[in-house]
């Protein structure tokens, strides 16, 4: 077995991992105990990385050779790399000659490595001559960038992870850290345990798992963060909690802000934000008077039409109270993707240039042009993400190059995005996975490497650069992203008549060295860093200038900021409501966000059935009172409708969301949730609803708020099919079922995993297909679904009543122990028996005594069938029923009971992501019941 140190490809915490491999196969992964971001810990997603990189998954999901689609809508055909790149260069050159450089656009990803990002940025701005290059980081971090620059002068997070153990107050706002950054949350738990006096304030419209650790919870109304922060500053001024000396010595612009916050009285803030004046005062006091206050924030501040103002208003509080530039104090934005920071460093956004230079600055443009050896860099701002796809939909951008991202799932206003992809004359998708929705729109598909195969660097949230190393060779004909971009660029140079190449790279280190030189003299200067240092000394924080041996832990300790006069700038943040307000026709505020065990569009995590244990299917969370008023029962299908589209989802009552609010996970695209409207148009997941409105400064869209109406759906005919399938067939069956989802008004198709292992020791793989319609579909469609679930074989038990639209089928197999197990079933029409039949299959219970009873109508099980319940701990596959049973045998304090529970079942002892839920379950167990337990 070979071990290779690398990093996790998920959130921006930047966890170090050790990849275990044998030959060309990744066999395991564990946290790197020597990496300063995680010290060996991994979340559920990270600890299952090897499952998503298996040979079985690679065969079924990976793009392994270049493919060209000559006719839109038809299957693509394999072509050699040279042919693919020559065709791409010829097409892009033709568009540039005929329509100018701004007729092409590049949309890349925060999951690219820094070297990949650098080559793409140089390709667009240095060779093509367009600033039309943007990234999906525009959807997650651009407001943080704009907020830092507007106030502190540079896009440089001043704090670090180590500050958690020095803080006396943590102010967490707009971040479900427990789910979005689980390993960082473990460090928060450690800090609280080491310092019980640490006060934690959480502000969020939802009562998330992060709230479990809070001393004070502020359930603000969606989009009211600026009013909250201005109201806190109003009280700080009134109570004398600001630091006048620091303001006078190190800042500008405070007088204008004072005039603005004067109007933000406690009464007004309480009314707008929906919180009590006492809680507002308590939050202001804790923030201002604690010895050290550290704020943590993410998409709740960023994904907003006031995103820049939200970020700046929070930073205003730090400047006004001198809570910055010292251990435990400062504003700390949490990065959404593994290398969103690296993309910002190389200027891989439509309004930036290399090394945090501004596109609008003529001197900065001249510096970059000189470094690259080109006459000039274009000064016209490029199209940002939403603008780029709108321009393509309008016919302004004619050729699109999309790398390592899935805009046909992740972008808001999917109708416009898909119109853009259909109207563009030429679409290139450079991707590792052939299963993303965007791949269906590509004229050319180029196979890229992914985690475990790439080499380069990434930068995490605390400005720490880590090496990414390949553990296995690239599968098939896949190539590294920087290499693909450079090979295309050299061909494009020939087409455009350039004599000498701008892309003389043979290794990623050569690319990185050029990037390093671009940082000389900048705020992120890394001229003292090298690949060799990263190999010998490990991950390093920037800045790390030439001659220095280590990077800077935190910034602005001397009170000097990277602005022309060295002073920070207060931003005059005026509160503005959300872009689209709730109204009578659309009375709900729809919020979107992460699930604990899933990542973005699930192209990787969606291949591991185990990661669907915690939240197995798409749903919309609603307040129980809202459901009761609309006579919506638990599990009922509802129409979720905005001004842009409508989708169907089952409703679930949730204590997390407030009245007139709803929440749907961001991950559910058409790959897992689909259907067709009454007009025949295919529905495109949750982002069929979300608004393209964006912050005018950061251009980041408001994915955290969309007004919707929610109405109960009347779809009397339903279908449920579940099956265990061979590992080498499960994901292929899921892909084959996806087109059939569009034959129903509502359909979902998701994997699940077993509690036991298969014959070869691998985790058992299952597929669940659910659908609903007004009437029973044609028999041929249901038979096709049965066939993909392995139910079109001779030993399948069947029942059908065409007149009533009823259909059932089941297949039992003989197991090694001699018992019979349910291997697959389908219920059509009457699905009321789902609970006990699905339990038989999921729990792999003996089923020989059921036989034809599986085909009998009705919901009641012939004998009691005990379900394990919902998975709580994904690492050890522990469900809530076992946890409740064990808690019944535990006594003592809540902490003692939790410890006993963990000792008995191991839940929460690996990644710890389930600990907030375990604590909630401990509290919910009556002490009387435990006292009576012998």
């Amino acid at each position: 077995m070979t071990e290779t140190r690398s990093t996790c490809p998920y959130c921006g915490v930047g966890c170090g991992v050790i990849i275990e491999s044998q030959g060309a196969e990744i066999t395991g992964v564990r946290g790197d105990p020597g990496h300063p971001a995680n010290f060996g810990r991994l979340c559920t997603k990270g600890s299952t990385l090897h499952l998503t990189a298996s040979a079985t998954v690679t065969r079924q999901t990976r793009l392994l050779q270049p493919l060209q689609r000559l006719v839109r809508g038809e299957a693509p055909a394999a072509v050699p790399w040279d042919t693919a790149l020559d065709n791409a260069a010829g097409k892009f050159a033709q568009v540039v000659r005929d329509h100018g450089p701004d007729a092409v656009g590049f949309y890349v990803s925060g999951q690219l490595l820094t070297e990949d990002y650098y080559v793409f940025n140089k390709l667009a701005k240095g060779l093509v001559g367009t600033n039309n290059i943007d990234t999906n980081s525009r959807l997650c971090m651009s407001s943080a960038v704009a907020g830092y620059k507007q106030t502190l002068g540079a896009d440089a997070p001043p704090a670090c992870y180590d500050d958690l153990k020095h803080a006396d107050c943590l102010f967490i706002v707009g971040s479900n850290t427990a789910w979005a950054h689980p390993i960082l949350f473990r460090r928060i738990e450690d800090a609280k345990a080491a310092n019980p006096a640490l006060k934690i304030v959480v502000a969020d419209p939802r009562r998330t798992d992060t709230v479990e650790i809070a001393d004070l919870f502020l359930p603000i109304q969606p989009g009211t963060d600026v009013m909250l922060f201005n109201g806190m500053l109003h009280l700080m001024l009134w109570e004398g909690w600001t630091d006048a000396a620091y303001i006078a010595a190190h800042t500008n612009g405070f007088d204008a802000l004072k005039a603005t916050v004067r109007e933000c009285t406690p009464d007004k803030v309480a009314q707008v934000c929906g919180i009590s004046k006492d809680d507002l005062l308590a939050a202001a006091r804790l923030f201002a008077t604690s010895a050290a206050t550290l704020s943590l924030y993410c998409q709740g501040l960023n994904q907003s039409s006031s995103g820049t103002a939200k970020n700046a208003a929070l930073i205003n509080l730090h400047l006004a109270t001198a809570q910055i530039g010292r251990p435990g104090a400062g504003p700390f934005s949490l990065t959404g993707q593994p290398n969103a920071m690296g993309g910002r460093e190389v200027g891989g956004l439509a309004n930036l240039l290399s090394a945090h230079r501004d596109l609008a600055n003529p001197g900065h443009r001249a510096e970059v042009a000189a470094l690259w050896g080109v006459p000039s860099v274009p000064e016209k701002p490029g199209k940002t993400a939403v603008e780029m796809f709108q321009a393509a939909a309008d016919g302004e951008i004619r050729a699109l190059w999309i790398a390592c991202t899935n805009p046909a799932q992740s972008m808001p206003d999917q109708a416009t995005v898909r119109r853009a992809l259909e109207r563009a004359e030429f679409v290139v998708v450079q991707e590792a996975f052939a299963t993303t929705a965007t791949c269906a729109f590509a004229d050319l598909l180029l196979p890229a490497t992914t985690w475990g195969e790439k080499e380069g660097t990434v930068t995490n949230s605390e400005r720490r650069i880590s090496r990414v190393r390949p553990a296995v060779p690239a599968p098939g004909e896949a190539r590294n992203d920087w290499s693909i971009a450079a090979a295309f660029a050299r061909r494009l140079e020939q087409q455009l008549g350039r004599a000498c190449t701008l892309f003389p790279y043979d290794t990623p280190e050569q690319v990185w060295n050029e990037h390093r030189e671009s940082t000389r003299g900048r705020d992120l200067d890394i001229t003292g860093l090298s690949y060799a240092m990263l190999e010998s000394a490990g991950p390093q924080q920037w800045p790390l200038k030439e001659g220095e041996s280590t990077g800077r832990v935190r910034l602005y300790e001397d009170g000097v900021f990277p602005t022309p006069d060295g002073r920070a700038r207060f931003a005059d943040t005026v509160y503005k409501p959300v872009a689209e307000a709730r109204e009578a026709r659309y009375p709900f505020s729809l919020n979107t966000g992460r699930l604990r065990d899933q990542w973005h569009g699930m192209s990787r995590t969606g291949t591991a059935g185990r990661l669907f244990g915690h939240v197995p299917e798409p749903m919309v969370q609603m307040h129980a009172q809202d459901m009761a008023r609309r006579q919506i029962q638990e599990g009922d299908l509802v129409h979720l409708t905005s001004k842009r589209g409508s989708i169907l989802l089952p409703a679930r009552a949730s204590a997390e969301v407030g009245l007139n609010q709803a929440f749907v996970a961001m991950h559910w695209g058409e790959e897992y949730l689909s259907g067709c409207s009454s007009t025949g148009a295919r529905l495109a997941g949750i982002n069929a609803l979300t608004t393209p409105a964006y912050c005018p400064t950061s251009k980041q869209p408001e994915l955290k708020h969309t007004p919707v109406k929610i109405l109960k759906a009347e779809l009397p005919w339903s279908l449920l099919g579940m099956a265990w399938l061979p590992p080498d067939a499960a994901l292929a069956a899921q892909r084959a079922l996806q087109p059939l989802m569009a034959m129903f008004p509502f359909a979902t198709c998701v994997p699940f995993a077993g509690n036991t292992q298969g014959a070869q020791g691998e985790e058992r793989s299952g597929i669940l297909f659910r659908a609903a319609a007004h009437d029973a579909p044609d028999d041929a469609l249901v038979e096709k679904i049965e066939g993909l679930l392995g139910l079109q074989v001779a030993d399948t038990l069947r029942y059908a009543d065409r007149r009533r639209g009823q259909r059932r089928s089941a297949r039992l197999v003989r197991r090694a122990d001699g018992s019979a197990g349910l291997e697959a079933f389908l219920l059509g029409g009457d699905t009321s028996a789902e609970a006990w039949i699905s339990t038989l299959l999921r729990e792999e219970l003996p089923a020989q005594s059921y036989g034809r009873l599986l085909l009998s109508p009705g919901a009641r099980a012939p004998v009691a069938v005990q379900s394990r319940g919902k998975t709580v701990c994904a690492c050890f596959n522990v469900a809530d029923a076992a946890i409740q049973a064990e808690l019944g045998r535990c006594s003592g304090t809540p902490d003692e009971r939790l410890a006993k529970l963990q000792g008995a079942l191991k839940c929460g002892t690996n990644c710890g992501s389930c600990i907030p839920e375990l604590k909630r379950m401990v509290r919910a167990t009556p002490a009387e019941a435990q006292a009576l337990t012998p």
Side-chain angles (χ1 to χ4, degrees), residues 62-66 79-86 112 116 430-432 446-450 453-455 473-488 490-491:
R62 291 292 298 275
L63 187 61
L64 298 175
Q65 58 187 334
V79 293
W81 263 110
D82 286 342
T83 301
L85 293 173
D86 286 343
L112 292 175
D116 305 325
Q430 180 174 319
E431 195 29 284
L446 302 178
T449 53
T450 185
E453 304 155 8
K454 296 169 71 74
E455 181 180 7
E477 298 179 38
R479 295 183 179 181
N480 292 320
D481 288 285
W482 71 266
S483 176
I484 297 171
F488 165 74
R490 288 191 287 267
R491 285 168 168 82

Side-chain angles (χ1 to χ4, degrees), residues 631-643:
Q631 298 183 332
I632 299 169
Q633 302 296 317
E634 188 79 4
D636 280 353
L637 284 175
V638 295
H639 292 281
L640 207 63
T641 306
S642 75
K643 295 178 180 178

Side-chain angles (χ1 to χ4, degrees), residues 121 184 216 253 424 504 615 646 652 678 710 778 844:
N121 192 45
L184 197 63
L216 175 63
V615 179
S646 182
R652 295 282 185 269
S678 57
I710 302 177
D778 292 339
E844 302 180 73

